[in-house]
Amino acid sequence: MTPLFQWLFNHSLDNFGGGKLVFSSPLAGELRFLLFAAAIVGVWFLYRKAAARTSRKTWRVILGLRLAAIGLLFFMLGAPVIRSQAPRAGGTFAAVMVDSSASMSIADPALSNRPRIDLAKEAIFGAGPQQAGLLKAIAGQCETVTYAFSDSIKRIDAPNQLDAQGQATNLFRAIHDVDAELRGVPLAAAVLVTDGCRNTGGSAEDAAKMLQARGVPLYVLALGDPNPPPDLEVVQVLAPARARRNSEVELDITVRHTGFKTPFDLLLKRGDTIILTRRIEPDGSGDLTRLRMAFTPDHEGSATYRVEIPAAKEEKLAQNNAKDFVLDLQDDRLPVLYIEGSPRQEYRFLRRALFRDPDFRLVGVLRLAPKRFYVQGANGNETYLKDGFPTTAEQLFTYQAIVLGDIEADVFSPQQLQLLEQFVKVRGGGLLMLGGVNSFGLGHYAPTPVGRMLPVSISPGDPPYSDEQYAASVVEKAMAHPVMKLALDAGENKALWDHAPPLVGITPVTGLKPGATMLLERQKTGQPVLAVQDYGAGRVAAFTSGGSWFWRMSKPASTEFHEKFWKQLIRWLVVGAREQLMVSTDAEIYTRRDPVTVRATVVGKDMTPLNEAKVVAQITDPLGNMQEIPMDWILSEEGVYECHFLPETEGQHKLAVRVEGWEAKPVEKGFLVSQPVLEFSDAGMKKEVLMRMAEATHGGYYEPAQLMAMIDAVKARVTQAALESAVPHDQPLWDMPMLFILLLGLFSAEWIIRRRKGLA
């Protein structure tokens, strides 16, 4: 019966019950009705003569048969179809993203001390035959694509591919990459299984906006405890990448002490050696403490240091208790040019303070007569100093600090004064002016580029130099400035300055410039004695006294008050000094196979960029394996070269960059490849963030106890999406054999009756 029915009607009985009858003819329904009415009138008009030649009953039968045949023809010409809704080709899809970062290995008390990743596996893949997971629950309703993600995504199809070993969590990149990979796919829903501990990449809210713009709801299964157990953490260590030998290095450290009220120790270590210990006492005002630690490194080259909090018994996570940083120590001598207008005591004692220290190369240029200079400490390449101050950038830029003593501006040409400004502004050098009868305003520097750079305001009308003796004191809040720290202990440092000998001589100035910092002032009057400020890439200092030598004469020979002050001031001034070859990496600490970008800036002796240099980076790993990588010039940046390296070994790496054909030795730097600790930083489940993501996409937020509710919500969504994406499906009826049989039967019956009644 069923095959016969399907042959007669071209369709199964189910097809007739699952759709509706519509006409697909391009002719409007009203026009078809008018044509049908006209056909009825025409048939009646043609058949009215037959009524007189036969009985009325016969006439009605043949008229009805003809009208039925005409009606059936018009039905077929209307192109009837059965219209139903069919799923779109390819169906609908759901994307499932499971966090596989290291923080998912944490076993929370709120989760019965089970690792978060185990619960994720059960939620997605099921816990055996008795408990089906999300994938099985929606398998018959849509296609699913499952990803594991940490700092990148990868497709998975089995629970053993989830290992919680990812080095960082990047929610933004995970959703961005999934969205991009499924761009042309009809995505009905996205499921995110995570603890929300994002620690790199864009914001989670921006990630949710990508799904929102596409109309895809996000269903979040949040794993973990929003209130993590007690934890100590070194959050951040800010340290300089390079320092000079015998210079103090200052660290800016932030520590977290969640759930701790008792004191704990913070250690600074190099290897197994403890360098400094600081006792931290939480005050109850918050769980973050920021502090500074200062030390003077004693190694050569690069070294790795660690800031560490010893693990406490209450802690469940000790992986975030330390942070490493790399410090490169410069052991080259710091070149200083000191030009003095007369053989005074200040020149003698200041030169002695720097000359005896192997960290400095002091070149003194002493004026003996208007055109006659005496040069001390110069090498064979500095013969130009016999005529006084350098006249070209190539000559001047070999130094990193310039000291102007008791010498007037008229000694310098306008070009030399402009060169001094470029030395500070562009080269990043340090400039120091000392007090004297021919310096500052008295030396006519006010209208010159040097006058613009000074941190004090000067004018030709300033009072004359005074040889009086007076006491100078450190300005309030300036005691912690690197220049003024003559002792590591704050109390000891204050005592040194409180008992500092007096100074002899001062050059009055108009006042302090806006933005400058005054470090020393004359007691009672408040006149500036030492002021500093940044200028361009460099720094400038004004020491208005010409009698710091009295500090040395008033102290026992064993003390270094005078020497240490001047060394620290000069070192501070040259922090921004540029080298002809400067090397940097995009980070100081990397993880294994994390790309290292090495950048080198190459300039000539006049600090103009060089774009045709041949630059080579040599990298040595902890096992002694050496690799040389040519560095390519970045076309968009003058004098900047770059290369990339993929570290395979954990530990300290040494980097040496050289320029082929240069006599200068390579610039060395270190970087560290270590295990990541980001994943265990503030590792509590981020409930508020995940809820905002779900709400922004009109999805839902769920916790493990609500797993079935989440599965039902996802099933409902994919069902709805399937209906929304359905397309009309028409099955034609006009070509059914049954219609042609019926039409033939109507015409045949009429013909037979007409023949029997003798009608035409």
Side-chain angles (χ1 to χ4, degrees), residues 562-634:
H562 175 262
E563 290 86 347
K564 191 165 187 178
F565 168 77
W566 284 115
K567 292 174 187 177
Q568 290 189 170
L569 177 56
I570 299 297
R571 287 190 176 107
W572 181 84
L573 283 173
V574 302
V575 165
R578 298 177 63 197
E579 305 286 352
Q580 281 190 261
L581 175 59
M582 292 177 288
V583 178
S584 65
T585 52
D586 56 336
E588 300 299 326
I589 301 177
Y590 299 86
T591 55
R592 195 172 65 85
R593 297 193 63 77
D594 187 10
V596 178
T597 299
V598 181
R599 288 169 67 94
T601 302
V602 183
V603 297
K605 293 182 178 180
D606 60 353
M607 294 294 141
T608 57
L610 300 180
N611 297 331
E612 302 298 330
K614 186 177 181 181
V615 188
V616 179
Q618 183 185 84
I619 299 175
T620 306
D621 69 16
L623 302 178
N625 301 313
M626 187 178 67
Q627 180 179 355
E628 288 199 344
I629 308 173
M631 300 185 69
D632 299 322
W633 171 41
I634 301 175

Side-chain angles (χ1 to χ4, degrees), residues 518-529:
M518 187 156 62
L519 303 181
L520 270 177
E521 65 180 354
R522 182 174 178 174
Q523 288 185 6
K524 298 181 181 179
T525 66
Q527 290 177 275
V529 175

Side-chain angles (χ1 to χ4, degrees), residues 109-345:
L111 301 179
S112 303
N113 289 316
R114 299 182 62 200
R116 300 170 185 176
I117 194 68
D118 287 356
L119 292 172
K121 292 177 182 179
E122 293 179 5
I124 301 304
F125 294 99
Q130 304 300 322
Q131 181 182 341
L134 171 69
L135 297 182
K136 290 182 180 178
I138 64 175
Q141 296 177 280
C142 69
E143 300 289 335
T144 57
V145 188
T146 308
Y147 300 88
F149 75 91
S150 51
D151 55 349
S152 60
I153 65 169
K154 67 174 182 179
R155 288 202 183 192
I156 61 171
D157 52 24
N160 60 6
Q161 294 173 304
L162 290 170
D163 53 11
Q165 297 294 316
Q167 299 178 349
T169 305
N170 192 335
L171 285 175
F172 180 87
R173 180 176 176 183
I175 292 179
H176 174 274
D177 290 357
V178 170
D179 178 63
E181 187 170 309
L182 303 180
R183 176 57 63 186
V185 171
L187 189 60
V191 178
L192 180 66
V193 183
T194 181
D195 54 17
C197 293
R198 179 195 68 83
N199 47 45
T200 188
S203 72
E205 289 79 1
D206 288 342
K209 288 178 182 177
M210 286 186 284
L211 295 176
Q212 181 187 15
R214 192 172 170 179
V216 177
L218 178 66
Y219 298 89
V220 177
L221 180 61
L223 301 176
D225 190 342
N227 302 306
D231 185 44
L232 295 171
E233 176 189 359
V234 178
V235 178
Q236 185 180 58
V237 178
L238 298 178
R242 303 186 75 190
R244 286 195 174 274
R245 188 172 58 183
N246 296 328
S247 295
E248 184 180 83
V249 173
E250 192 170 72
L251 309 177
D252 190 331
I253 303 169
T254 303
V255 297
R256 187 193 306 275
H257 36 82
T258 303
F260 280 86
K261 297 181 180 179
T262 57
F264 58 91
D265 289 333
L266 181 69
L267 311 179
L268 174 64
K269 302 169 65 176
R270 181 157 67 91
D272 295 328
T273 304
I274 298 176
I275 299 172
L276 286 175
T277 301
R278 176 71 65 84
R279 191 72 167 166
I280 309 296
E281 297 187 9
D283 57 9
S285 60
D287 63 353
L288 286 176
T289 295
R290 184 177 176 182
L291 68 150
R292 295 179 183 273
M293 295 179 75
F295 72 105
T296 302
D298 59 356
H299 61 86
E300 293 184 0
S302 297
T304 300
Y305 290 83
R306 169 165 291 195
V307 177
E308 178 182 322
I309 303 173
K313 294 181 180 179
E314 303 93 323
E315 284 190 280
K316 288 185 174 292
L317 295 173
Q319 295 96 323
N320 58 356
N321 282 36
K323 280 194 181 297
D324 296 332
F325 66 93
V326 179
L327 181 64
D328 295 314
L329 209 61
Q330 290 178 268
D331 57 359
D332 53 332
R333 302 180 70 186
L334 195 162
V336 181
L337 177 63
Y338 181 6
I339 184 163
E340 182 60 79
S342 60
R344 59 178 182 157
Q345 292 278 53

